[in-house]
Amino acid sequence: MRKALNVYIRLQQDQAITGLYFWHQISQLMNVLLFGSGGRESALAWKLAQSPLLDHLFIAPGNPGMKKYGTCIGLDWKDRDAVSHLCEAENIGMVVIGPEDPLVDGLSDFFAQTPGLKHIHVIGPKKAAAQLEGSKDFSKQFMERHGIPTAGHRTFEEHQLEEAKQYLATIDGPYVLKADGLAAGKGVVILDSLSDALHEMDAMLGQAKFGAASSRVVVEEFLVGIEFSMFALTDGKDYMMMPEAKDYKRIGEGDQGLNTGGMGAVSPVPFVTETIRKEVLTKIVEPTIRGLALEKMDYVGFIFFGLILTNKGVKVIEYNCRMGDPETEVVIPRVDEDLLPLFADAAKKQLLTRPMAKKEEAACAVMMVSGGYPEAYSKGRTISGLEKVQGVHVFHAGTAEKDGQIVTQGGRVLCVTGMAPTASAALTLAYAQLDQIEFEGAYRRNDIGVDLGLRNL
Ligand code: AMP
Ligand code: GLY
């Protein structure tokens, strides 16, 4: 009862501070189950843990850095019986699905179809709508149907290998080849020479380089421009735009070398002006959400718009059916309102279209990764210096606990996010604190923000 009263007071205070009136129909505190274990889920857990409407946060499986936000449980999303059991035993009222695999596999549908779980608010689209990320061919066709600007493309199936190679010979490079399905961020290959492109087509389509994911290959027109990302929380008809971000995808400085999940991110993005934002809303975001509704695809959750600013306007490079990583680690710290009631509104399809309140401060994130990543890397290296870090967020991404110590467990290990009135100051802060953290073979890019004039090398 006392907790509930505090909630009431808190909402009144928010109202006084922002001058806006947001009515949320949450009458009781809620237990939330968050699926995932990376930097993205660390940032979401950090945010949800601050909600006065949260009773208890469960994180499946989480990581050692998330223990301060809730209870990490060794629950595998694929084990549907165990998921049901936990939700019933812990009276879970809301489920937030962080990564794409469970969404594309239909975890959200499972909740909607299971008696006893149907009442749970689920943040994450249904399987059919998650195809926006789960199939490149599906997303290209969707964009074509709804007049959404994107690169021209052709899709080839296994039996069309020769046709695909003949087609490549008729176009100019660079050649963009994309495995249709999920391939852990590795399914996009861009090649300058025709012979490399033909070889890659053989590997993908002919030799199943990415397994079933490359049983169809999309060949795309190569777009020239600068990339950025925008994010919306939607209930399938209304939407709230969140702060934008720019990710640094390649492993090497100067954007050289292999693609990674993302080595750093900044928000806001200096070149994203009001005019560009408006163009994205009218030509991309609104037609996407209208298209989902028209095609009766149930979408409650985040849409990640991977965009490129070309000399012919903004185009969609890709959709993701979840938040980005490390984009979440800069976007979520800039969100200046409670996410939990917004999630509840979205699940009840009562979201109001308006921008999410945001902090004017900038956020910049730098990833510390294991040496060798994105190829083979070692695990189990002891991480030291975490206790010395001050004034930044340290979001654990790939860590584990061994003999009471925090050790490396993934390629991307830690994400350090600095926040300051300017992006340059946020980067200085993040880099100064990164210097305090060590583990054998640690690597990071030192040029996050350099291309945008936010930092000098
Ligand atoms: P995706 O997984 O579709 O986001 O692609 C990964 C990266 O490949 C993107 O972030 C771009 O840098 C690059 N890329 C993808 N599609 C294209 C394209 N049509 N033209 C140029 N670059 C592209
Ligand atoms: N950082 C890119 C992604 O999350 O897909």
Side-chain angles (χ1 to χ4, degrees), residues 181-193:
L182 293 183
K186 297 192 175 130
V188 175
V189 184
I190 301 180
L191 297 157
D192 286 326
S193 83

Side-chain angles (χ1 to χ4, degrees), residues 40 100 133 185 229 231 247-249 260-264 304 318 320 322-328 412:
R40 166 185 45 220
E100 61 276 22
E133 175 167 3
S229 306
F231 310 88
D247 174 23
Y248 290 78
K249 284 209 166 82
T260 70
M263 296 294 291
F304 167 143
E318 63 164 351
N320 292 316
R322 35 94 193 163
M323 284 298 288
D325 193 354
E327 291 91 334
T328 309
R412 294 190 296 172

Side-chain angles (χ1 to χ4, degrees), residues 24 26 37 55 110 142 164 188 203 297 313 327 341 345 380 383 395 404 413 439 445:
H24 304 295
I26 287 197
S37 65
D55 193 349
F110 167 71
F142 176 87
V188 175
M297 281 192 276
E327 291 91 334
D345 287 350
I383 304 172
F395 295 120
V413 177
F439 58 86
R445 269 180 68 167

